[in-house]
């Protein structure tokens, strides 16, 4: 007579353990996104850090030329060139209109324009107000989110995207990028 061990139980237990550790990392404090241009080349890095003094977005990137560029957090963590429409609309869990100068605004994903000097470098640290990383309305929902830089400055009022033109740089924020 043979005794068979119920080995099918082991994967189930392992699955539970994995789910528990996934919940435990929701307090993790830093997520990073590699930024890509429309042709797929690397354009820099963006980081969101949750700290005691607030949540901060920092950015080190290279623009195509000196100038001012619109920048937003978009709803989907997918950056497929060359047009990056895969990143979806602005991150907007409150269903508002676009723009801080719009009485019906603003989107959660609305951010100030960024400036590149003659060396084309964009370097900044910006405090995100009212920012939610996790939870059903958080940036890191099932499909993540994206940082998108546009070809023109945002006018802060035209719904839905501030008249900022094409998407030229894109980076994915996903919970797997935490660390
Ligand atoms: Cu945008």
């Amino acid at each position: 007579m043979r005794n068979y061990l119920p080995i099918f139980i082991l994967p189930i237990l392992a699955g539970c353990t994995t789910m528990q550790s996934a919940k435990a990392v929701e307090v993790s404090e830093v997520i990073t996104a590699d930024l890509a241009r429309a042709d797929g080349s690397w354009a820099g890095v963006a980081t969101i850090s949750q700290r005691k003094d607030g949540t901060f977005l920092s950015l080190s990137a290279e623009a195509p030329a000196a100038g001012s560029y619109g920048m937003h957090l978009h709803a989907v963590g997918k950056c497929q060139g060359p047009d990056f429409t895969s990143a979806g609309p602005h991150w907007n869990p409150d269903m508002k209109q676009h723009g801080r100068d719009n009485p019906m605004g603003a989107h959660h994903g609305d951010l100030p324009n960024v400036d590149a000097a003659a060396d084309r470098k964009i370097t900044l640290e910006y405090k995100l107000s009212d920012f939610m990383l996790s939870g059903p309305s958080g940036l890191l929902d099932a499909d993540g989110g994206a940082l998108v830089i546009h070809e023109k400055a945002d006018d802060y009022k035209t719904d839905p995207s501030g008249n900022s033109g094409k998407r030229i740089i894109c980076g994915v924020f996903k919970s797997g990028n935490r660390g």
Side-chain angles (χ1 to χ4, degrees):
M1 186 180 157
R2 293 172 184 168
N3 287 315
Y4 290 103
L5 285 170
I7 53 170
F8 57 88
I9 289 175
L10 290 173
I12 296 170
L13 290 173
C16 292
T17 310
T18 307
M19 281 168 69
Q20 277 178 353
S21 52
K23 271 186 185 166
V25 296
E26 280 187 0
V27 290
S28 181
E29 292 175 348
V30 180
I31 53 170
T32 59
D34 272 313
L35 304 175
R37 298 186 186 91
D39 65 1
S41 61
W42 187 79
V45 177
T47 303
I48 293 175
S49 321
Q50 289 198 310
R51 311 194 312 227
K52 274 186 183 163
D53 52 340
T55 302
F56 292 83
L57 171 71
S58 56
L59 184 66
S60 175
E62 190 180 76
S68 190
Y69 298 88
M71 180 170 73
H72 318 114
L73 292 167
H74 284 240
V76 182
K78 196 169 186 188
C79 292
Q80 251 169 11
D83 58 8
F84 299 129
T85 52
S86 56
H90 292 178
W91 178 41
N92 184 24
D94 296 336
M95 309 292 283
K96 293 193 173 177
Q97 289 192 12
H98 170 77
R100 66 184 188 197
D101 295 341
N102 180 341
M104 306 287 282
H107 295 151
H108 250 87
D110 288 355
L111 295 168
N113 291 325
V114 290
D115 293 315
D119 66 358
R120 303 190 291 150
K121 294 274 195 303
I122 299 170
T123 309
L124 66 88
E125 185 176 76
Y126 173 72
K127 189 170 185 178
L128 297 161
S129 57
D130 226 358
F131 185 81
M132 306 153 291
L133 200 58
S134 301
S137 301
L139 182 69
L140 296 188
D141 55 0
D143 61 10
L147 182 89
V148 174
I149 297 176
H150 291 255
E151 64 174 344
K152 295 190 289 185
D154 186 323
D155 65 14
Y156 298 137
K157 57 178 188 252
T158 306
D159 194 60
S161 59
N163 213 7
S164 54
K166 283 186 196 162
R167 306 171 179 195
I168 58 168
I169 290 175
C170 186
V172 172
F173 285 119
K174 278 205 165 151
S175 49
N177 298 357
R178 289 174 169 185

